[in-house]
């Protein structure tokens, strides 16, 4: 697929998976980036996202979605929070 123009925050839960499927139906020629943010690579949302991503690939094909895994430490979150909430 080409460069994605649509991105969704993706936990892999029911809501974000349904939104991803609706986006795939509404935008048949677009690659959709599914963005998953986790504090730990073993976090439940990460594992759920991987499973739901596989389901979406089976349903819509491998060119329709790109899974972007973002690992963020709690320290990074605290630093950003402090810079925003001064």
């Amino acid at each position: 697929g080409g460069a994605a123009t649509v991105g969704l925050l993706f936990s892999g839960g029911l809501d974000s998976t349904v939104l991803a499927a609706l986006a795939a139906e509404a935008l048949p020629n677009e690659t959709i980036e599914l963005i998953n943010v986790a504090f730990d690579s073993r976090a439940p949302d990460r594992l759920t996202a991987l499973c739901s991503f596989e389901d979406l690939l089976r349903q819509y094909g491998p060119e329709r979605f790109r899974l972007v895994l973002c690992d963020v430490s709690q320290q990074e979150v605290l630093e950003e929070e402090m810079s925003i909430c001064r």
Side-chain angles (χ1 to χ4, degrees):
T5 58
V6 176
L8 297 171
L9 289 176
F10 186 69
S11 69
L14 182 62
D15 294 352
S16 63
T17 303
V18 168
L19 285 174
L22 289 171
E25 296 284 338
L27 305 166
N29 299 316
E30 297 288 334
T31 299
I32 300 161
E33 282 193 344
L34 305 174
I35 304 161
N36 177 263
V37 180
F39 296 117
D40 183 331
S41 62
R42 298 171 312 234
D45 277 1
R46 174 61 53 84
L47 301 176
T48 304
L50 292 170
C51 291
S52 296
F53 176 65
E54 290 296 324
D55 290 340
L56 289 166
L57 294 184
R58 277 193 292 279
Q59 181 70 27
Y60 294 98
E63 298 299 316
R64 298 307 315 283
F65 297 99
R66 182 179 305 125
L67 182 60
V68 179
L69 302 176
C70 303
D71 295 321
V72 180
S73 72
Q74 289 183 334
Q75 183 62 36
E76 288 173 300
V77 172
L78 290 174
E79 289 171 6
E80 286 300 315
E81 190 175 76
M82 293 302 291
S83 72
I84 293 169
C85 300
R86 291 182 197 210

